[in-house]
Amino acid sequence: MPDPHAQASDQSGVPAQAAPGPGTPPARRLRPAQLLFEPQADEPEQERFFDLESIEDPAELLRRSTELALAFRAAAERATDFQAIAAAQLADTRRFDALSPTEIAARADWTPDYAVRMVEYGRGLQKQRSAEH
């Protein structure tokens, strides 16, 4: 049997306000305070490039920036190898949906001549990989 003195609550568990009885003035609803000013926007953070701009020692700056340049160059070369392998796979005539070099060029934003060279390079990489395994 429910407790007659228990307060009703909504689904969040917060007690609900009791309905005003006869002769009781309705509860006054609180409204949010009006903003009299525009909140200050956060200043955009200065763009940082691996904190190179905070390095003051020129020798350390040269060392760190050279390290980053070499790492990016290696990553770009590796990504290019993967592009070539993908181009060779897409151009494989054994596939029912093989693409022409012109179609591959359009997808990769290359010239058709470059696409042909990438397909050839990719085929060489595939042969090299299969020989290693």
Side-chain angles (χ1 to χ4, degrees), residues 33-70:
Q34 183 179 8
L35 291 178
L36 301 176
F37 62 92
E38 193 66 32
Q40 188 174 15
D42 291 337
E43 290 293 320
E45 217 175 286
Q46 267 189 329
E47 189 173 317
R48 297 195 144 331
F49 188 74
F50 296 92
D51 280 334
L52 292 179
E53 54 281 313
S54 67
I55 299 174
E56 294 183 18
D57 177 24
E60 177 62 17
L61 180 59
L62 178 62
R63 185 197 67 74
R64 180 69 178 131
S65 59
T66 301
E67 182 180 88
L68 284 169
L70 292 174

PDB file of all heavy atoms in Angstrom, residues 33-70:
ATOM      1  N   ALA A  33      17.505  34.696 -15.327  1.00  0.00           N
ATOM      2  CA  ALA A  33      17.862  36.115 -15.328  1.00  0.00           C
ATOM      3  C   ALA A  33      18.202  36.553 -16.746  1.00  0.00           C
ATOM      4  O   ALA A  33      18.792  35.810 -17.520  1.00  0.00           O
ATOM      5  CB  ALA A  33      19.057  36.346 -14.412  1.00  0.00           C
ATOM      6  N   GLN A  34      17.835  37.759 -17.067  1.00  0.00           N
ATOM      7  CA  GLN A  34      18.107  38.312 -18.386  1.00  0.00           C
ATOM      8  C   GLN A  34      19.577  38.710 -18.459  1.00  0.00           C
ATOM      9  O   GLN A  34      20.120  39.299 -17.527  1.00  0.00           O
ATOM     10  CB  GLN A  34      17.221  39.523 -18.620  1.00  0.00           C
ATOM     11  CG  GLN A  34      17.380  40.123 -19.981  1.00  0.00           C
ATOM     12  CD  GLN A  34      16.443  41.309 -20.172  1.00  0.00           C
ATOM     13  OE1 GLN A  34      15.790  41.753 -19.238  1.00  0.00           O
ATOM     14  NE2 GLN A  34      16.402  41.818 -21.375  1.00  0.00           N
ATOM     15  N   LEU A  35      20.229  38.369 -19.588  1.00  0.00           N
ATOM     16  CA  LEU A  35      21.623  38.758 -19.770  1.00  0.00           C
ATOM     17  C   LEU A  35      21.677  40.220 -20.181  1.00  0.00           C
ATOM     18  O   LEU A  35      20.987  40.638 -21.109  1.00  0.00           O
ATOM     19  CB  LEU A  35      22.288  37.894 -20.853  1.00  0.00           C
ATOM     20  CG  LEU A  35      22.512  36.437 -20.499  1.00  0.00           C
ATOM     21  CD1 LEU A  35      23.132  35.717 -21.695  1.00  0.00           C
ATOM     22  CD2 LEU A  35      23.415  36.297 -19.295  1.00  0.00           C
ATOM     23  N   LEU A  36      22.475  40.971 -19.477  1.00  0.00           N
ATOM     24  CA  LEU A  36      22.595  42.391 -19.783  1.00  0.00           C
ATOM     25  C   LEU A  36      23.842  42.672 -20.610  1.00  0.00           C
ATOM     26  O   LEU A  36      24.085  43.798 -21.007  1.00  0.00           O
ATOM     27  CB  LEU A  36      22.632  43.211 -18.496  1.00  0.00           C
ATOM     28  CG  LEU A  36      21.401  43.047 -17.594  1.00  0.00           C
ATOM     29  CD1 LEU A  36      21.579  43.814 -16.305  1.00  0.00           C
ATOM     30  CD2 LEU A  36      20.148  43.477 -18.320  1.00  0.00           C
ATOM     31  N   PHE A  37      24.650  41.653 -20.857  1.00  0.00           N
ATOM     32  CA  PHE A  37      25.866  41.823 -21.644  1.00  0.00           C
ATOM     33  C   PHE A  37      26.109  40.529 -22.402  1.00  0.00           C
ATOM     34  O   PHE A  37      25.576  39.488 -22.073  1.00  0.00           O
ATOM     35  CB  PHE A  37      27.056  42.141 -20.738  1.00  0.00           C
ATOM     36  CG  PHE A  37      27.347  41.039 -19.763  1.00  0.00           C
ATOM     37  CD1 PHE A  37      28.262  40.029 -20.064  1.00  0.00           C
ATOM     38  CD2 PHE A  37      26.688  40.976 -18.544  1.00  0.00           C
ATOM     39  CE1 PHE A  37      28.509  39.005 -19.181  1.00  0.00           C
ATOM     40  CE2 PHE A  37      26.932  39.945 -17.649  1.00  0.00           C
ATOM     41  CZ  PHE A  37      27.847  38.958 -17.960  1.00  0.00           C
ATOM     42  N   GLU A  38      26.894  40.607 -23.414  1.00  0.00           N
ATOM     43  CA  GLU A  38      27.245  39.443 -24.216  1.00  0.00           C
ATOM     44  C   GLU A  38      28.429  38.755 -23.536  1.00  0.00           C
ATOM     45  O   GLU A  38      29.417  39.415 -23.210  1.00  0.00           O
ATOM     46  CB  GLU A  38      27.624  39.900 -25.634  1.00  0.00           C
ATOM     47  CG  GLU A  38      27.707  38.810 -26.648  1.00  0.00           C
ATOM     48  CD  GLU A  38      26.367  38.154 -26.938  1.00  0.00           C
ATOM     49  OE1 GLU A  38      25.331  38.823 -26.862  1.00  0.00           O
ATOM     50  OE2 GLU A  38      26.386  36.964 -27.229  1.00  0.00           O
ATOM     51  N   PRO A  39      28.343  37.442 -23.283  1.00  0.00           N
ATOM     52  CA  PRO A  39      29.482  36.770 -22.659  1.00  0.00           C
ATOM     53  C   PRO A  39      30.718  36.880 -23.546  1.00  0.00           C
ATOM     54  O   PRO A  39      30.630  36.853 -24.767  1.00  0.00           O
ATOM     55  CB  PRO A  39      29.041  35.308 -22.560  1.00  0.00           C
ATOM     56  CG  PRO A  39      27.583  35.301 -22.817  1.00  0.00           C
ATOM     57  CD  PRO A  39      27.243  36.549 -23.554  1.00  0.00           C
ATOM     58  N   GLN A  40      31.861  37.030 -22.901  1.00  0.00           N
ATOM     59  CA  GLN A  40      33.105  37.195 -23.640  1.00  0.00           C
ATOM     60  C   GLN A  40      33.474  35.887 -24.332  1.00  0.00           C
ATOM     61  O   GLN A  40      33.481  34.824 -23.704  1.00  0.00           O
ATOM     62  CB  GLN A  40      34.219  37.614 -22.691  1.00  0.00           C
ATOM     63  CG  GLN A  40      35.494  37.992 -23.403  1.00  0.00           C
ATOM     64  CD  GLN A  40      36.520  38.535 -22.423  1.00  0.00           C
ATOM     65  OE1 GLN A  40      36.386  38.369 -21.217  1.00  0.00           O
ATOM     66  NE2 GLN A  40      37.537  39.176 -22.943  1.00  0.00           N
ATOM     67  N   ALA A  41      33.742  35.952 -25.614  1.00  0.00           N
ATOM     68  CA  ALA A  41      34.135  34.764 -26.375  1.00  0.00           C
ATOM     69  C   ALA A  41      35.569  34.414 -26.032  1.00  0.00           C
ATOM     70  O   ALA A  41      36.401  35.301 -25.811  1.00  0.00           O
ATOM     71  CB  ALA A  41      33.999  35.035 -27.869  1.00  0.00           C
ATOM     72  N   ASP A  42      35.834  33.124 -25.982  1.00  0.00           N
ATOM     73  CA  ASP A  42      37.199  32.691 -25.735  1.00  0.00           C
ATOM     74  C   ASP A  42      38.075  33.138 -26.887  1.00  0.00           C
ATOM     75  O   ASP A  42      37.692  33.061 -28.041  1.00  0.00           O
ATOM     76  CB  ASP A  42      37.273  31.167 -25.603  1.00  0.00           C
ATOM     77  CG  ASP A  42      36.608  30.674 -24.326  1.00  0.00           C
ATOM     78  OD1 ASP A  42      36.496  31.466 -23.383  1.00  0.00           O
ATOM     79  OD2 ASP A  42      36.210  29.494 -24.286  1.00  0.00           O
ATOM     80  N   GLU A  43      39.262  33.597 -26.546  1.00  0.00           N
ATOM     81  CA  GLU A  43      40.210  33.989 -27.578  1.00  0.00           C
ATOM     82  C   GLU A  43      40.666  32.736 -28.306  1.00  0.00           C
ATOM     83  O   GLU A  43      40.959  31.725 -27.670  1.00  0.00           O
ATOM     84  CB  GLU A  43      41.425  34.685 -26.943  1.00  0.00           C
ATOM     85  CG  GLU A  43      41.111  36.048 -26.368  1.00  0.00           C
ATOM     86  CD  GLU A  43      40.743  37.056 -27.440  1.00  0.00           C
ATOM     87  OE1 GLU A  43      41.381  37.058 -28.512  1.00  0.00           O
ATOM     88  OE2 GLU A  43      39.792  37.821 -27.209  1.00  0.00           O
ATOM     89  N   PRO A  44      40.697  32.776 -29.631  1.00  0.00           N
ATOM     90  CA  PRO A  44      41.176  31.589 -30.337  1.00  0.00           C
ATOM     91  C   PRO A  44      42.634  31.327 -29.980  1.00  0.00           C
ATOM     92  O   PRO A  44      43.435  32.255 -29.898  1.00  0.00           O
ATOM     93  CB  PRO A  44      41.030  31.951 -31.817  1.00  0.00           C
ATOM     94  CG  PRO A  44      40.894  33.431 -31.856  1.00  0.00           C
ATOM     95  CD  PRO A  44      40.369  33.860 -30.527  1.00  0.00           C
ATOM     96  N   GLU A  45      42.917  30.054 -29.740  1.00  0.00           N
ATOM     97  CA  GLU A  45      44.262  29.682 -29.352  1.00  0.00           C
ATOM     98  C   GLU A  45      45.194  29.832 -30.537  1.00  0.00           C
ATOM     99  O   GLU A  45      44.825  29.541 -31.665  1.00  0.00           O
ATOM    100  CB  GLU A  45      44.260  28.215 -28.888  1.00  0.00           C
ATOM    101  CG  GLU A  45      45.180  27.978 -27.728  1.00  0.00           C
ATOM    102  CD  GLU A  45      45.071  26.566 -27.220  1.00  0.00           C
ATOM    103  OE1 GLU A  45      44.053  26.274 -26.564  1.00  0.00           O
ATOM    104  OE2 GLU A  45      45.981  25.779 -27.489  1.00  0.00           O
ATOM    105  N   GLN A  46      46.402  30.289 -30.266  1.00  0.00           N
ATOM    106  CA  GLN A  46      47.375  30.425 -31.338  1.00  0.00           C
ATOM    107  C   GLN A  46      47.685  29.055 -31.912  1.00  0.00           C
ATOM    108  O   GLN A  46      47.799  28.077 -31.174  1.00  0.00           O
ATOM    109  CB  GLN A  46      48.671  31.022 -30.815  1.00  0.00           C
ATOM    110  CG  GLN A  46      48.771  32.501 -30.927  1.00  0.00           C
ATOM    111  CD  GLN A  46      50.187  32.950 -30.591  1.00  0.00           C
ATOM    112  OE1 GLN A  46      50.873  32.330 -29.795  1.00  0.00           O
ATOM    113  NE2 GLN A  46      50.597  34.049 -31.186  1.00  0.00           N
ATOM    114  N   GLU A  47      47.778  29.008 -33.237  1.00  0.00           N
ATOM    115  CA  GLU A  47      48.092  27.742 -33.882  1.00  0.00           C
ATOM    116  C   GLU A  47      49.524  27.351 -33.541  1.00  0.00           C
ATOM    117  O   GLU A  47      50.431  28.165 -33.576  1.00  0.00           O
ATOM    118  CB  GLU A  47      47.937  27.886 -35.399  1.00  0.00           C
ATOM    119  CG  GLU A  47      48.028  26.574 -36.106  1.00  0.00           C
ATOM    120  CD  GLU A  47      47.709  26.701 -37.575  1.00  0.00           C
ATOM    121  OE1 GLU A  47      46.748  27.403 -37.916  1.00  0.00           O
ATOM    122  OE2 GLU A  47      48.440  26.099 -38.363  1.00  0.00           O
ATOM    123  N   ARG A  48      49.675  26.090 -33.189  1.00  0.00           N
ATOM    124  CA  ARG A  48      50.988  25.602 -32.821  1.00  0.00           C
ATOM    125  C   ARG A  48      51.381  24.485 -33.772  1.00  0.00           C
ATOM    126  O   ARG A  48      50.568  23.697 -34.188  1.00  0.00           O
ATOM    127  CB  ARG A  48      50.981  25.073 -31.400  1.00  0.00           C
ATOM    128  CG  ARG A  48      50.666  26.162 -30.357  1.00  0.00           C
ATOM    129  CD  ARG A  48      51.039  25.643 -29.009  1.00  0.00           C
ATOM    130  NE  ARG A  48      51.579  26.429 -27.968  1.00  0.00           N
ATOM    131  CZ  ARG A  48      52.313  27.514 -28.003  1.00  0.00           C
ATOM    132  NH1 ARG A  48      52.625  28.055 -29.122  1.00  0.00           N
ATOM    133  NH2 ARG A  48      52.751  28.097 -26.930  1.00  0.00           N
ATOM    134  N   PHE A  49      52.652  24.444 -34.103  1.00  0.00           N
ATOM    135  CA  PHE A  49      53.165  23.398 -34.972  1.00  0.00           C
ATOM    136  C   PHE A  49      54.237  22.656 -34.192  1.00  0.00           C
ATOM    137  O   PHE A  49      55.408  23.026 -34.196  1.00  0.00           O
ATOM    138  CB  PHE A  49      53.712  23.981 -36.273  1.00  0.00           C
ATOM    139  CG  PHE A  49      54.075  22.935 -37.285  1.00  0.00           C
ATOM    140  CD1 PHE A  49      53.083  22.264 -37.978  1.00  0.00           C
ATOM    141  CD2 PHE A  49      55.389  22.613 -37.518  1.00  0.00           C
ATOM    142  CE1 PHE A  49      53.417  21.284 -38.907  1.00  0.00           C
ATOM    143  CE2 PHE A  49      55.730  21.638 -38.442  1.00  0.00           C
ATOM    144  CZ  PHE A  49      54.732  20.975 -39.133  1.00  0.00           C
ATOM    145  N   PHE A  50      53.784  21.623 -33.488  1.00  0.00           N
ATOM    146  CA  PHE A  50      54.669  20.771 -32.693  1.00  0.00           C
ATOM    147  C   PHE A  50      55.527  21.578 -31.722  1.00  0.00           C
ATOM    148  O   PHE A  50      56.658  21.213 -31.430  1.00  0.00           O
ATOM    149  CB  PHE A  50      55.549  19.901 -33.596  1.00  0.00           C
ATOM    150  CG  PHE A  50      54.765  18.924 -34.412  1.00  0.00           C
ATOM    151  CD1 PHE A  50      54.328  19.258 -35.686  1.00  0.00           C
ATOM    152  CD2 PHE A  50      54.447  17.686 -33.906  1.00  0.00           C
ATOM    153  CE1 PHE A  50      53.585  18.363 -36.444  1.00  0.00           C
ATOM    154  CE2 PHE A  50      53.704  16.778 -34.648  1.00  0.00           C
ATOM    155  CZ  PHE A  50      53.277  17.122 -35.920  1.00  0.00           C
ATOM    156  N   ASP A  51      55.009  22.707 -31.275  1.00  0.00           N
ATOM    157  CA  ASP A  51      55.687  23.604 -30.335  1.00  0.00           C
ATOM    158  C   ASP A  51      57.019  24.132 -30.844  1.00  0.00           C
ATOM    159  O   ASP A  51      57.872  24.558 -30.064  1.00  0.00           O
ATOM    160  CB  ASP A  51      55.875  22.936 -28.963  1.00  0.00           C
ATOM    161  CG  ASP A  51      54.608  22.977 -28.135  1.00  0.00           C
ATOM    162  OD1 ASP A  51      53.785  23.882 -28.354  1.00  0.00           O
ATOM    163  OD2 ASP A  51      54.452  22.100 -27.262  1.00  0.00           O
ATOM    164  N   LEU A  52      57.228  24.128 -32.155  1.00  0.00           N
ATOM    165  CA  LEU A  52      58.482  24.660 -32.694  1.00  0.00           C
ATOM    166  C   LEU A  52      58.620  26.150 -32.417  1.00  0.00           C
ATOM    167  O   LEU A  52      59.732  26.643 -32.197  1.00  0.00           O
ATOM    168  CB  LEU A  52      58.581  24.399 -34.201  1.00  0.00           C
ATOM    169  CG  LEU A  52      58.744  22.946 -34.628  1.00  0.00           C
ATOM    170  CD1 LEU A  52      58.813  22.851 -36.143  1.00  0.00           C
ATOM    171  CD2 LEU A  52      59.975  22.318 -34.002  1.00  0.00           C
ATOM    172  N   GLU A  53      57.484  26.868 -32.409  1.00  0.00           N
ATOM    173  CA  GLU A  53      57.563  28.311 -32.194  1.00  0.00           C
ATOM    174  C   GLU A  53      57.986  28.665 -30.777  1.00  0.00           C
ATOM    175  O   GLU A  53      58.393  29.780 -30.508  1.00  0.00           O
ATOM    176  CB  GLU A  53      56.243  28.996 -32.545  1.00  0.00           C
ATOM    177  CG  GLU A  53      55.021  28.439 -31.858  1.00  0.00           C
ATOM    178  CD  GLU A  53      54.503  27.158 -32.502  1.00  0.00           C
ATOM    179  OE1 GLU A  53      54.369  27.081 -33.708  1.00  0.00           O
ATOM    180  OE2 GLU A  53      54.230  26.229 -31.741  1.00  0.00           O
ATOM    181  N   SER A  54      57.940  27.722 -29.863  1.00  0.00           N
ATOM    182  CA  SER A  54      58.344  28.014 -28.484  1.00  0.00           C
ATOM    183  C   SER A  54      59.813  27.687 -28.225  1.00  0.00           C
ATOM    184  O   SER A  54      60.333  27.985 -27.152  1.00  0.00           O
ATOM    185  CB  SER A  54      57.458  27.231 -27.506  1.00  0.00           C
ATOM    186  OG  SER A  54      57.706  25.840 -27.642  1.00  0.00           O
ATOM    187  N   ILE A  55      60.501  27.090 -29.191  1.00  0.00           N
ATOM    188  CA  ILE A  55      61.919  26.749 -29.013  1.00  0.00           C
ATOM    189  C   ILE A  55      62.752  27.980 -29.352  1.00  0.00           C
ATOM    190  O   ILE A  55      62.691  28.509 -30.465  1.00  0.00           O
ATOM    191  CB  ILE A  55      62.313  25.549 -29.911  1.00  0.00           C
ATOM    192  CG1 ILE A  55      61.497  24.320 -29.526  1.00  0.00           C
ATOM    193  CG2 ILE A  55      63.806  25.270 -29.798  1.00  0.00           C
ATOM    194  CD1 ILE A  55      61.702  23.119 -30.438  1.00  0.00           C
ATOM    195  N   GLU A  56      63.541  28.433 -28.382  1.00  0.00           N
ATOM    196  CA  GLU A  56      64.333  29.647 -28.575  1.00  0.00           C
ATOM    197  C   GLU A  56      65.758  29.356 -29.014  1.00  0.00           C
ATOM    198  O   GLU A  56      66.366  30.170 -29.699  1.00  0.00           O
ATOM    199  CB  GLU A  56      64.325  30.483 -27.297  1.00  0.00           C
ATOM    200  CG  GLU A  56      62.928  31.021 -26.995  1.00  0.00           C
ATOM    201  CD  GLU A  56      62.891  31.911 -25.779  1.00  0.00           C
ATOM    202  OE1 GLU A  56      63.968  32.399 -25.369  1.00  0.00           O
ATOM    203  OE2 GLU A  56      61.788  32.107 -25.249  1.00  0.00           O
ATOM    204  N   ASP A  57      66.288  28.208 -28.650  1.00  0.00           N
ATOM    205  CA  ASP A  57      67.655  27.851 -29.016  1.00  0.00           C
ATOM    206  C   ASP A  57      67.690  27.436 -30.485  1.00  0.00           C
ATOM    207  O   ASP A  57      67.049  26.459 -30.869  1.00  0.00           O
ATOM    208  CB  ASP A  57      68.133  26.704 -28.119  1.00  0.00           C
ATOM    209  CG  ASP A  57      69.527  26.218 -28.467  1.00  0.00           C
ATOM    210  OD1 ASP A  57      70.299  27.001 -29.050  1.00  0.00           O
ATOM    211  OD2 ASP A  57      69.837  25.054 -28.151  1.00  0.00           O
ATOM    212  N   PRO A  58      68.429  28.157 -31.339  1.00  0.00           N
ATOM    213  CA  PRO A  58      68.439  27.835 -32.766  1.00  0.00           C
ATOM    214  C   PRO A  58      68.969  26.427 -33.063  1.00  0.00           C
ATOM    215  O   PRO A  58      68.478  25.773 -33.982  1.00  0.00           O
ATOM    216  CB  PRO A  58      69.348  28.896 -33.394  1.00  0.00           C
ATOM    217  CG  PRO A  58      69.669  29.864 -32.342  1.00  0.00           C
ATOM    218  CD  PRO A  58      69.226  29.324 -31.039  1.00  0.00           C
ATOM    219  N   ALA A  59      69.923  25.954 -32.298  1.00  0.00           N
ATOM    220  CA  ALA A  59      70.453  24.604 -32.529  1.00  0.00           C
ATOM    221  C   ALA A  59      69.380  23.558 -32.243  1.00  0.00           C
ATOM    222  O   ALA A  59      69.212  22.592 -33.000  1.00  0.00           O
ATOM    223  CB  ALA A  59      71.691  24.364 -31.661  1.00  0.00           C
ATOM    224  N   GLU A  60      68.634  23.758 -31.168  1.00  0.00           N
ATOM    225  CA  GLU A  60      67.545  22.831 -30.817  1.00  0.00           C
ATOM    226  C   GLU A  60      66.414  22.933 -31.832  1.00  0.00           C
ATOM    227  O   GLU A  60      65.813  21.920 -32.215  1.00  0.00           O
ATOM    228  CB  GLU A  60      67.036  23.128 -29.409  1.00  0.00           C
ATOM    229  CG  GLU A  60      65.862  22.284 -28.974  1.00  0.00           C
ATOM    230  CD  GLU A  60      66.151  20.783 -28.914  1.00  0.00           C
ATOM    231  OE1 GLU A  60      67.315  20.369 -28.892  1.00  0.00           O
ATOM    232  OE2 GLU A  60      65.167  20.010 -28.898  1.00  0.00           O
ATOM    233  N   LEU A  61      66.113  24.141 -32.294  1.00  0.00           N
ATOM    234  CA  LEU A  61      65.078  24.331 -33.301  1.00  0.00           C
ATOM    235  C   LEU A  61      65.453  23.623 -34.604  1.00  0.00           C
ATOM    236  O   LEU A  61      64.620  22.948 -35.203  1.00  0.00           O
ATOM    237  CB  LEU A  61      64.851  25.829 -33.549  1.00  0.00           C
ATOM    238  CG  LEU A  61      63.798  26.198 -34.589  1.00  0.00           C
ATOM    239  CD1 LEU A  61      62.430  25.643 -34.212  1.00  0.00           C
ATOM    240  CD2 LEU A  61      63.744  27.713 -34.757  1.00  0.00           C
ATOM    241  N   LEU A  62      66.706  23.732 -35.006  1.00  0.00           N
ATOM    242  CA  LEU A  62      67.162  23.050 -36.225  1.00  0.00           C
ATOM    243  C   LEU A  62      67.079  21.539 -36.056  1.00  0.00           C
ATOM    244  O   LEU A  62      66.595  20.834 -36.941  1.00  0.00           O
ATOM    245  CB  LEU A  62      68.598  23.469 -36.566  1.00  0.00           C
ATOM    246  CG  LEU A  62      69.204  22.789 -37.792  1.00  0.00           C
ATOM    247  CD1 LEU A  62      68.407  23.136 -39.038  1.00  0.00           C
ATOM    248  CD2 LEU A  62      70.661  23.174 -37.940  1.00  0.00           C
ATOM    249  N   ARG A  63      67.496  21.042 -34.893  1.00  0.00           N
ATOM    250  CA  ARG A  63      67.458  19.603 -34.644  1.00  0.00           C
ATOM    251  C   ARG A  63      66.029  19.074 -34.684  1.00  0.00           C
ATOM    252  O   ARG A  63      65.723  18.105 -35.371  1.00  0.00           O
ATOM    253  CB  ARG A  63      68.085  19.267 -33.280  1.00  0.00           C
ATOM    254  CG  ARG A  63      68.194  17.763 -33.010  1.00  0.00           C
ATOM    255  CD  ARG A  63      68.414  17.454 -31.533  1.00  0.00           C
ATOM    256  NE  ARG A  63      67.287  17.791 -30.681  1.00  0.00           N
ATOM    257  CZ  ARG A  63      66.140  17.100 -30.627  1.00  0.00           C
ATOM    258  NH1 ARG A  63      65.936  16.065 -31.388  1.00  0.00           N
ATOM    259  NH2 ARG A  63      65.167  17.486 -29.810  1.00  0.00           N
ATOM    260  N   ARG A  64      65.138  19.732 -33.977  1.00  0.00           N
ATOM    261  CA  ARG A  64      63.758  19.261 -33.879  1.00  0.00           C
ATOM    262  C   ARG A  64      63.014  19.408 -35.212  1.00  0.00           C
ATOM    263  O   ARG A  64      62.277  18.515 -35.617  1.00  0.00           O
ATOM    264  CB  ARG A  64      63.025  20.045 -32.781  1.00  0.00           C
ATOM    265  CG  ARG A  64      61.600  19.644 -32.579  1.00  0.00           C
ATOM    266  CD  ARG A  64      61.493  18.259 -31.974  1.00  0.00           C
ATOM    267  NE  ARG A  64      60.091  17.963 -31.754  1.00  0.00           N
ATOM    268  CZ  ARG A  64      59.491  16.849 -32.137  1.00  0.00           C
ATOM    269  NH1 ARG A  64      60.182  15.894 -32.707  1.00  0.00           N
ATOM    270  NH2 ARG A  64      58.213  16.677 -31.914  1.00  0.00           N
ATOM    271  N   SER A  65      63.197  20.519 -35.918  1.00  0.00           N
ATOM    272  CA  SER A  65      62.507  20.710 -37.189  1.00  0.00           C
ATOM    273  C   SER A  65      63.041  19.753 -38.250  1.00  0.00           C
ATOM    274  O   SER A  65      62.280  19.255 -39.086  1.00  0.00           O
ATOM    275  CB  SER A  65      62.600  22.164 -37.662  1.00  0.00           C
ATOM    276  OG  SER A  65      63.949  22.552 -37.819  1.00  0.00           O
ATOM    277  N   THR A  66      64.338  19.443 -38.211  1.00  0.00           N
ATOM    278  CA  THR A  66      64.900  18.462 -39.133  1.00  0.00           C
ATOM    279  C   THR A  66      64.337  17.085 -38.848  1.00  0.00           C
ATOM    280  O   THR A  66      63.973  16.346 -39.770  1.00  0.00           O
ATOM    281  CB  THR A  66      66.439  18.447 -39.030  1.00  0.00           C
ATOM    282  OG1 THR A  66      66.936  19.755 -39.326  1.00  0.00           O
ATOM    283  CG2 THR A  66      67.049  17.434 -39.983  1.00  0.00           C
ATOM    284  N   GLU A  67      64.231  16.753 -37.579  1.00  0.00           N
ATOM    285  CA  GLU A  67      63.645  15.468 -37.176  1.00  0.00           C
ATOM    286  C   GLU A  67      62.217  15.340 -37.710  1.00  0.00           C
ATOM    287  O   GLU A  67      61.822  14.298 -38.248  1.00  0.00           O
ATOM    288  CB  GLU A  67      63.674  15.398 -35.645  1.00  0.00           C
ATOM    289  CG  GLU A  67      63.172  14.147 -35.036  1.00  0.00           C
ATOM    290  CD  GLU A  67      63.260  14.234 -33.513  1.00  0.00           C
ATOM    291  OE1 GLU A  67      62.297  14.733 -32.894  1.00  0.00           O
ATOM    292  OE2 GLU A  67      64.281  13.815 -32.944  1.00  0.00           O
ATOM    293  N   LEU A  68      61.430  16.396 -37.578  1.00  0.00           N
ATOM    294  CA  LEU A  68      60.051  16.385 -38.071  1.00  0.00           C
ATOM    295  C   LEU A  68      60.000  16.291 -39.598  1.00  0.00           C
ATOM    296  O   LEU A  68      59.188  15.552 -40.155  1.00  0.00           O
ATOM    297  CB  LEU A  68      59.299  17.631 -37.604  1.00  0.00           C
ATOM    298  CG  LEU A  68      58.859  17.622 -36.149  1.00  0.00           C
ATOM    299  CD1 LEU A  68      58.372  19.005 -35.739  1.00  0.00           C
ATOM    300  CD2 LEU A  68      57.769  16.594 -35.933  1.00  0.00           C
ATOM    301  N   ALA A  69      60.856  17.041 -40.275  1.00  0.00           N
ATOM    302  CA  ALA A  69      60.863  17.021 -41.742  1.00  0.00           C
ATOM    303  C   ALA A  69      61.187  15.616 -42.254  1.00  0.00           C
ATOM    304  O   ALA A  69      60.556  15.127 -43.198  1.00  0.00           O
ATOM    305  CB  ALA A  69      61.871  18.031 -42.282  1.00  0.00           C
ATOM    306  N   LEU A  70      62.154  14.951 -41.637  1.00  0.00           N
ATOM    307  CA  LEU A  70      62.509  13.588 -42.050  1.00  0.00           C
ATOM    308  C   LEU A  70      61.365  12.612 -41.781  1.00  0.00           C
ATOM    309  O   LEU A  70      61.080  11.735 -42.598  1.00  0.00           O
ATOM    310  CB  LEU A  70      63.785  13.130 -41.340  1.00  0.00           C
ATOM    311  CG  LEU A  70      65.060  13.868 -41.750  1.00  0.00           C
ATOM    312  CD1 LEU A  70      66.231  13.437 -40.865  1.00  0.00           C
ATOM    313  CD2 LEU A  70      65.370  13.646 -43.216  1.00  0.00           C
TER     314      LEU A  70
END
